[in-house]
Amino acid sequence: MELSYLPIDKSDIDKEPDRFAIDILNEEFIFEIFWNNEESFYSLNLYKGEELILAGRRITYGIDMIAPVISYGLDKVAIIPFDKTGQAEKTGITKENFMESVLPVILSD
């Protein structure tokens, strides 16, 4: 099992989405991570090339971020926000703990 996490830069994420490409199972995917100001949570859009394959998915502690996507081999991958301190089990993901103690861990076979 390979273990890593998404390389999200949240420094200006409330103004502009963080967009980056990452290889998963030898395929390139583009992630857009953004802060939803109206509802106060992080969300993601996921692309395969120019094709939008997941839109506006709320990033929730302990829940696979890409679970709805079963194509492109992504059914063999999970990206789960995990908190190394355990505090997010009570608070959920916040602006303060995301990419500090809460990291979106990529799990694959």
Side-chain angles (χ1 to χ4, degrees):
M1 178 188 297
E2 184 178 318
L3 184 66
S4 58
Y5 63 92
L6 292 180
I8 298 167
D9 177 4
K10 69 171 193 168
S11 58
D12 289 325
I13 209 165
D14 55 345
K15 297 177 187 108
E16 183 176 322
D18 184 32
R19 185 177 171 103
F20 56 90
I22 187 170
D23 282 346
I24 300 175
L25 301 175
N26 298 319
E27 296 281 341
E28 184 177 83
F29 293 89
I30 298 169
F31 285 77
E32 282 183 340
I33 308 294
F34 58 96
W35 177 253
N36 181 320
N37 284 315
E38 292 178 20
E39 301 292 329
S40 297
F41 59 78
Y42 288 98
S43 294
L44 88 106
N45 294 332
L46 179 62
Y47 297 84
K48 176 66 177 131
E50 296 296 318
E51 179 185 1
L52 178 63
I53 59 175
L54 185 62
R57 170 96 167 151
R58 182 178 182 161
I59 300 173
T60 305
Y61 179 72
I63 305 293
D64 183 3
M65 294 167 56
I66 60 170
V69 182
I70 57 172
S71 55
Y72 305 103
L74 291 178
D75 58 328
K76 298 176 181 128
V77 177
I79 302 176
I80 302 174
F82 175 75
D83 183 2
K84 57 188 173 186
T85 69
Q87 294 299 311
E89 289 184 29
K90 297 176 188 169
T91 64
I93 297 174
T94 66
K95 276 187 163 184
E96 292 75 29
N97 68 17
F98 190 58
M99 298 310 293
E100 301 299 328
S101 64
V102 176
L103 299 173
V105 177
I106 303 169
L107 303 166
S108 63
D109 294 336

